[in-house]
Amino acid sequence: WLKYLLGFLPPRFSPGRFALSDTEAMVRCKKLQKKHKPVKGKKKDKGALKRSSVQHVRDPRLRELWDEKLTTKQNLTKYTLKELYADTLPDPEDIPDKGKERKLCWRDADVVKDLVAKFGEDAAKMARDHKINIYQWSERECRLRVERLKKGLINTEHQENIAGRGLDQEKVLSRKQKQRNEFGH
């Protein structure tokens, strides 16, 4: 079994003329141990901090304030963006709070006008009416669309076509034309 563990014999090898005795196996094992040399690497100094050079800093302002005795992390945490770029940052009053407000599509505006005429401000009833509310908007969606209509945020047909949303859609028929059947009654 010793020969098998040392790798001299394959499993189920029948001892014969190629078999090694126990002493021969031990001698061969000792020779291999003498030949083996452990890998020696340089020991790293764990206590030393990695320093960073100014050459890798591209920003001119940060390069002026860079301290080569400190690590990169210490240099970067030493200054804030306000300290470095106070003159280039915009004033807080100049920054807009929101982006553009979404506008109501001109097709949706016709439906919302009909809903407002029938129900007033009640968005819950608007959401339940499936005849006028053909897009099946929820209560929240109805409320948002009514607010946009009151603010006058409506895109025209031309604006929709420029934006690419109205190129392949036909114009919605008015309520009177929808009520007529195919025979004109």
Side-chain angles (χ1 to χ4, degrees), residues 3 15 22 24 34-36 40 44 53 55 64 69 74 84 93 96 98 125 130 138 161 177:
K3 295 174 192 173
D22 289 338
E24 289 174 337
K34 286 180 183 178
K35 286 182 182 178
H36 175 69
K40 293 181 180 178
K44 294 180 182 178
S53 65
Q55 299 169 359
E64 292 170 7
K69 294 178 183 176
Q74 290 170 343
L84 291 172
E93 299 90 28
K98 294 182 183 177
K125 289 183 181 178
H130 64 278
S138 66
N161 287 336
Q177 289 174 330

Side-chain angles (χ1 to χ4, degrees), residues 1-2 10-11 17 32 41 53 83 93 99 116 133 137 148 180:
W1 65 271
L2 182 64
R17 62 184 179 145
L32 288 174
S53 65
E83 293 173 1
E93 299 90 28
V116 170
N133 185 3
W137 294 320
R148 290 180 193 151
R180 296 179 66 189

Side-chain angles (χ1 to χ4, degrees), residues 1-9 18-34:
W1 65 271
L2 182 64
K3 295 174 192 173
Y4 173 70
L5 287 176
L6 295 174
F8 297 118
L9 294 175
F18 300 108
L20 297 173
S21 66
D22 289 338
T23 54
E24 289 174 337
M26 294 296 287
V27 169
R28 202 178 241 185
C29 186
K30 291 286 185 185
K31 284 182 181 178
L32 288 174
Q33 286 177 353
K34 286 180 183 178

Side-chain angles (χ1 to χ4, degrees), residues 123-152:
K125 289 183 181 178
M126 289 181 193
R128 278 184 256 138
D129 186 5
H130 64 278
K131 289 184 179 178
I132 300 175
N133 185 3
I134 56 173
Y135 299 111
Q136 296 183 348
W137 294 320
S138 66
E139 184 179 341
R140 181 177 178 273
E141 289 172 325
C142 289
R143 189 174 57 250
L144 289 173
R145 282 178 169 79
V146 169
E147 288 173 8
R148 290 180 193 151
L149 183 71
K150 285 183 176 181
K151 289 180 183 177

